[in-house]
Amino acid sequence: MKPDVKICGLSTPATLRAALERGASHIGFVSFAKSPRHLDTAPMAELARLVAGRAGTVIVTVNPDDDLIARLSEEVRPDWLQLHGKETPQRVAEVKARTGLKVMKALPVSDARDLDAIAAYRGVADRILLDSKRPKGSNLPGGNGVSFDWTLLTALDPDLSYMLSGGIDAANVAEALAIARPSGIDVSSGVESAPGVKDVGRIHAFFDAIERATAAG
Ligand SMILES: O=C(O)c1ccccc1NCC(=O)[C@H](O)[C@H](O)COP(=O)(O)O
């Protein structure tokens, strides 16, 4: 089955259009000042208008306070908020209740024990996103272009609907899908030519690789 595909950290109309034309299910915009992919609210809202019903618009935030959540929700009108910090299950529930938006909760994984955290968010978050842990020296909790051991995920309940992310690109996405069998794949660095610079050619190569992998069964 074809996985959902989230292209994260888009910041130009041309790369956004390429992702939409190739059938991205989710388009991610980053609201985190330290990120090379950060967008202020006004340009984010402008790009979000181009998505308009063609995919789910996701705003990625890290431990956002209520003011930021309100501003992003009102000005950008996303479908999803992705919480990529240390938000508790209670905070996820509160954000959903305050905004009425769907929430994707990112959980960092480096070993099997990290998967224990999933239970507390299941049924609270609308989707779980399993990402690599922040590597030493990085000040970003995501978008680092590093992967983790996907074989850990073979132990998960097959009914868990989650997105796999972290260091995925056109060269390894077939392997990621074959090993982990996630219901969705998320990519950022793997479709960039430099940090924060999305590349139309790499976006096409990424979708080509997914199409080859899923056509092969
Ligand atoms: O992408 C960022 O700059 C970012 C900053 C702060 C929090 C989260 C961020 N990205 C979240 C994502 O969903 C990325 O797509 C995910 O971490 C995978 O990134 P990559 O390994 O670069 O493909």
Side-chain angles (χ1 to χ4, degrees), residues 10-216:
L10 287 155
S11 58
T12 64
T15 53
L16 172 58
R17 279 195 201 100
L20 290 171
E21 279 162 17
R22 294 303 302 263
S25 59
H26 297 73
I27 297 293
F29 300 120
V30 175
S31 172
F32 186 62
K34 290 180 198 159
S35 170
R37 306 168 185 102
H38 170 79
L39 287 178
D40 288 334
T41 317
M44 194 187 284
E46 210 164 301
L47 288 173
R49 279 194 282 277
L50 301 178
V51 182
R54 298 178 66 188
T57 301
V58 184
I59 303 181
V60 178
T61 60
V62 181
N63 304 317
D65 62 22
D66 290 343
D67 286 349
L68 178 60
I69 286 175
R71 197 154 47 80
L72 291 170
S73 308
E74 282 159 25
E75 294 177 24
V76 183
R77 303 214 164 270
D79 303 296
W80 292 79
L81 292 171
Q82 179 174 321
L83 301 180
H84 217 103
K86 293 189 185 303
E87 302 86 5
T88 62
Q90 291 72 23
R91 180 63 176 155
V92 171
E94 194 177 286
V95 169
K96 274 176 65 66
R98 288 183 82 88
T99 62
L101 297 173
K102 288 179 274 193
V103 170
M104 191 166 328
K105 177 66 185 109
L107 296 174
V109 181
S110 67
D111 62 39
R113 279 166 308 179
D114 296 320
L115 302 177
D116 294 345
I118 293 171
Y121 291 93
R122 213 172 164 177
V124 181
D126 296 281
R127 200 139 187 198
I128 303 289
L129 180 142
L130 299 176
D131 198 359
S132 303
K133 275 197 182 151
R134 176 201 306 245
K136 271 198 187 114
S138 170
N139 56 7
L140 300 178
N144 289 300
V146 294
S147 54
F148 64 95
D149 177 4
W150 300 319
T151 64
L152 296 172
L153 305 178
T154 59
L156 289 177
D157 174 354
D159 290 335
L160 177 75
S161 170
Y162 72 93
M163 284 218 167
L164 175 60
S165 77
I168 302 172
D169 58 25
N172 65 15
V173 67
E175 188 188 356
L177 290 171
I179 294 173
R181 303 196 168 276
S183 60
I185 282 278
D186 168 276
V187 64
S188 186
S189 310
V191 292
E192 291 180 342
S193 55
V197 184
K198 290 288 182 291
D199 182 276
V200 168
R202 288 175 203 228
I203 291 172
H204 283 296
F206 190 69
F207 281 97
D208 289 346
I210 292 176
E211 281 172 14
R212 279 194 301 275
T214 50

